[in-house]
Amino acid sequence: GHKEELHLNIALISTFVALTGIALAYMVFVRKSPDPEKLYQALKPLHTTLKEQFFTEKLYHKVLAAGYMMYSKLLYQVGDKLFIDGVVNGLYHIVSNLGHTFKLVQSGKINTYMLFMAVGLALLLLLIIFGG
């Protein structure tokens, strides 16, 4: 089975820390030996640091979150607006212009279609005769 050991050094240190904390609390709050207000003023920087959790939240918001937001905005401006929207809008203009051009060709008149077929046939014959 598992054998439990008592780590005497850890037990002694823990007991010493606890008894020291009890003694300090008794001196400050019961005997009022050091004035609590003077003690607070002396330890105010430590109090503020511990109260603000070593300023990790402020560091997170000002550095990490702000950096992430700046990166996101830059990626949105460059990647999305310039690149993706640019490609989509550019393709729209190309396809739109091609549509306007082919609209002229597709008139629905059989005479125009026959003319294009005759021109295409003539070009093919010219290629066959003179091209090879």
Side-chain angles (χ1 to χ4, degrees), residues 59-74:
L59 176 74
Y60 170 78
H61 285 293
K62 293 202 183 276
V63 175
L64 295 176
Y68 173 75
M69 288 303 293
M70 184 177 66
Y71 170 73
S72 297
K73 287 177 184 176
L74 177 72

Side-chain angles (χ1 to χ4, degrees), residues 22-93:
I22 292 169
L24 282 171
Y26 175 77
M27 288 174 55
V28 170
F29 294 109
V30 176
R31 293 190 55 208
K32 306 248 187 226
S33 166
D35 184 26
E37 187 58 36
K38 287 181 183 174
L39 189 61
Y40 173 75
Q41 291 302 325
L43 297 174
K44 192 170 184 178
L46 180 64
H47 173 263
T48 304
T49 302
L50 293 175
K51 181 181 171 195
E52 292 292 330
Q53 299 172 352
F54 296 98
F55 301 98
T56 53
E57 189 171 340
K58 288 184 180 177
L59 176 74
Y60 170 78
H61 285 293
K62 293 202 183 276
V63 175
L64 295 176
Y68 173 75
M69 288 303 293
M70 184 177 66
Y71 170 73
S72 297
K73 287 177 184 176
L74 177 72
L75 194 60
Y76 169 72
Q77 292 293 331
V78 173
D80 188 45
K81 287 185 109 178
L82 288 178
F83 182 71
I84 294 174
D85 288 350
V87 168
V88 170
N89 292 338
L91 285 175
Y92 161 75
H93 290 298

